[in-house]
Amino acid sequence: MYQYDEYDRALVRERVAQFRDQIERRLSGELSEEEFLPLRLQNGLYMQKHAYMLRVAIPYGTLSARQLRTLARIARDYDRDYGHFTTRQNIQFNWIELEQVGDILERLAEVEMHAIQTSGNCVRNITTEAFAGVAADELLDPRPLAEILRQWSTVNPEFLYLPRKFKIALCAAQEDRAAVMMHDIGLYLYRDAAGELLLRVMVGGGLGRTPILSQQIREGLPWQHLLSYVEAVLRVYNRHGRRDNKYKARIKILVKALGIEAFAQEVEAEWQQIKDGPAELTAAEYRRVAAAFVAPVYASLDDADLDYGSALARDPGFARWVSRNVRPHRVAGYAAVVLSTKPGSSSPPGDVTSAQMHAIADLAEDCGFGEIRIAHEQNLVLPDVPKADLHGLYQRALSHGLGTANIGLLTDMIVCPGGDYCALANAK
């Protein structure tokens, strides 16, 4: 997984110090709530019905065991002993005291995490599928390009005050497991007959009170123009998106109002002015970022493990769980495992206790390479599990309330915290 460089660390540390000062001025009365509002939104802090909510960024849903344990300790020490994983592969803490936010952000910074641009009218967390880098049907790992987008969009001054929030997702597999068409910009990666990496660009998707699937705006875009084309789309949206009505401010409303052809013409004209500028990506820059995503050292395993086959035959519960919660891996003898956060009425979907987070971190280290993924369905994924370890992992997952065999079923429902917390929600 990606490791912060000195620029990332400096940015996060400076932001923590800056926001500490803003919090102190709010608590002393030097800043009014109206003045504090845009400042806290830039740092992922919402005021909900009962308390502040802090949303922490998990770029493209990838976590280390160390980071997950830090989130567990934050849940225990500052919240009500749980966190809520979201459809943008982030985590929310719903019972935060304002006085504690600086300390929380300091803890996050120690493990290369932050809450920057998890709220407000800006480019939000860049997402991709939870099986990136290990999926059997994957063309290439999309995370390096997602990371390039993250670096480009973080505190980019041109796009910090958009008409409304803006969400981008990438997919590089045959099956779209990133819900690309439900995003403001969706990017499909593929290769042409000559092996060149290209992008299919979709715009205007979104859910909310007006759910709309995105439409194709560009086919065959060379990957080197990823940033400049996304920038062109954002410029057109920034220029024409409505700011008089937040319910009609998303890009999906603009695309529908203009029509996809007219919108595409605006973007093309904008792109022609910037496409050969400094935003054009080079192979050297791609290699620099991709080098951070080093594949684990996999063992040479037999794909037909005898112990695994025996467990399937003698334990019908395990066999059912494998059929629902285990996914093929690109390396023989390994599998990707989905841990369900949805055991039923005993726990709201997406909510995970601090004890469960510690247990998942242990499983990631004992049965993998210490990495965890957050899926947009609000479940957690262990991406690299030897098949020989699956039965033992299943039993441990069951003991922690994480072994429900329901992935893709009706009970694997995607939900937000709802009316229990949010004044905008119309359902609990």
Side-chain angles (χ1 to χ4, degrees):
M1 59 185 292
Y2 178 76
Q3 302 295 314
Y4 276 20
D5 60 21
E6 65 271 22
Y7 301 107
D8 292 296
R9 295 188 190 95
L11 170 66
V12 172
R13 291 289 183 186
E14 290 171 9
R15 176 56 70 89
V16 172
Q18 179 191 59
F19 194 43
R20 272 191 186 278
D21 176 67
Q22 293 165 350
I23 291 170
E24 289 171 4
R25 287 189 285 144
R26 173 68 187 109
L27 291 170
S28 70
E30 186 179 344
L31 289 175
S32 68
E33 175 54 33
E34 184 179 4
E35 292 168 325
F36 185 57
L37 172 63
L39 303 177
R40 63 174 170 81
L41 288 179
Q42 291 173 14
N43 293 279
L45 191 65
Y46 288 80
M47 170 63 82
Q48 295 197 318
K49 280 185 176 180
H50 313 292
Y52 284 100
M53 179 270 279
L54 179 67
R55 182 181 294 139
V56 178
I58 305 175
Y60 32 89
T62 299
L63 276 173
S64 68
R66 180 181 177 227
Q67 289 173 327
L68 185 56
R69 289 193 178 98
T70 294
L71 296 176
R73 286 189 285 270
I74 290 171
R76 179 197 64 200
D77 296 343
Y78 301 104
D79 202 279
R80 297 191 174 181
D81 206 34
Y82 72 95
H84 177 81
F85 289 100
T86 77
T87 58
R88 293 219 62 69
Q89 302 173 305
N90 294 321
I91 188 170
Q92 296 177 180
F93 297 107
N94 290 297
W95 297 94
I96 299 300
E97 299 289 340
L98 181 57
E99 296 86 346
Q100 300 171 329
V101 173
D103 293 337
I104 296 172
L105 294 179
E106 190 70 44
R107 285 199 184 188
L108 291 170
E110 290 172 357
V111 292
E112 302 186 342
M113 299 187 76
H114 61 77
I116 299 169
Q117 290 181 215
T118 58
S119 60
N121 296 336
C122 59
V123 178
R124 298 288 185 87
N125 191 37
I126 308 298
T127 62
T128 187
E129 69 153 308
F131 306 98
V134 303
D137 67 338
E138 186 177 75
L139 174 67
L140 81 164
D141 188 344
R143 290 176 300 165
L145 289 180
E147 174 58 26
I148 288 170
L149 276 168
R150 183 197 72 82
Q151 294 183 17
W152 170 82
S153 62
T154 300
V155 201
N156 186 324
E158 188 171 356
F159 306 124
L160 287 179
Y161 296 99
L162 295 168
R164 198 70 171 85
K165 59 187 177 182
F166 203 89
K167 302 176 180 180
I168 302 174
L170 299 90
C171 175
Q174 293 178 19
E175 179 185 350
D176 178 7
R177 292 177 288 265
V180 163
M181 293 182 71
M182 297 177 184
H183 286 75
D184 299 287
I185 292 180
L187 300 161
Y188 289 107
L189 283 73
Y190 65 98
R191 294 192 187 277
D192 63 11
E196 292 298 315
L197 182 60
L198 303 173
L199 295 164
R200 179 179 304 117
V201 185
M202 315 289 289
V203 298
L207 295 176
R209 62 173 61 198
T210 311
I212 297 176
L213 293 178
S214 64
Q215 301 178 67
Q216 181 177 312
I217 190 176
R218 190 67 152 76
E219 179 76 22
L221 180 72
W223 68 271
Q224 294 91 339
H225 295 299
L226 166 67
L227 296 185
S228 61
Y229 199 83
V230 169
E231 181 170 339
V233 173
L234 277 163
R235 284 186 175 188
V236 171
Y237 171 54
N238 211 10
R239 191 157 57 235
H240 297 295
R242 292 185 60 172
R243 285 182 162 87
D244 61 324
N245 185 333
K246 72 176 183 179
Y247 299 110
K248 296 183 179 181
R250 296 290 295 273
I251 193 175
K252 62 187 179 183
I253 304 299
L254 176 63
V255 171
K256 187 174 182 179
L258 292 179
I260 190 64
E261 292 83 7
F263 185 84
Q265 289 173 8
E266 286 264 1
V267 171
E268 184 68 21
E270 186 70 37
W271 184 56
Q272 290 298 327
Q273 300 179 52
I274 62 174
K275 68 174 186 175
D276 298 319
E280 183 175 349
L281 290 171
T282 64
E285 174 64 5
Y286 179 84
R287 288 194 297 269
R288 180 189 72 82
V289 176
F293 295 89
V294 179
V297 180
Y298 294 104
S300 296
L301 302 176
D302 190 341
D303 211 33
D305 183 82
L306 293 179
D307 291 337
Y308 167 63
S310 175
L312 284 174
R314 70 175 184 272
D315 187 340
F318 173 58
R320 184 166 55 252
W321 178 78
V322 168
S323 71
R324 301 300 330 171
N325 295 47
V326 176
R327 297 290 182 266
H329 198 287
R330 64 181 179 82
V331 178
Y334 287 85
V337 171
V338 185
L339 300 174
S340 174
T341 68
K342 305 161 189 178
S345 59
S346 62
S347 177
D351 284 6
V352 179
T353 67
S354 65
Q356 288 177 316
M357 290 186 216
H358 280 295
I360 294 166
D362 291 342
L363 287 171
E365 290 178 333
D366 296 344
C367 305
F369 299 96
E371 188 172 300
I372 303 102
R373 311 284 183 81
I374 314 303
H376 82 268
E377 296 92 345
Q378 301 172 280
N379 298 309
L380 285 84
V381 172
L382 302 181
D384 302 295
V385 179
K387 287 186 175 181
D389 293 340
L390 284 174
H391 191 240
L393 186 153
Y394 162 69
Q395 293 173 317
R396 290 170 66 180
L398 276 180
S399 70
H400 293 288
L402 298 162
T404 307
N406 65 341
I407 302 306
L409 300 181
L410 183 61
T411 53
D412 185 24
M413 187 177 292
I414 301 171
V415 299
C416 72
D420 291 329
Y421 302 98
C422 179
L424 298 177
N426 55 23
K428 289 191 175 184

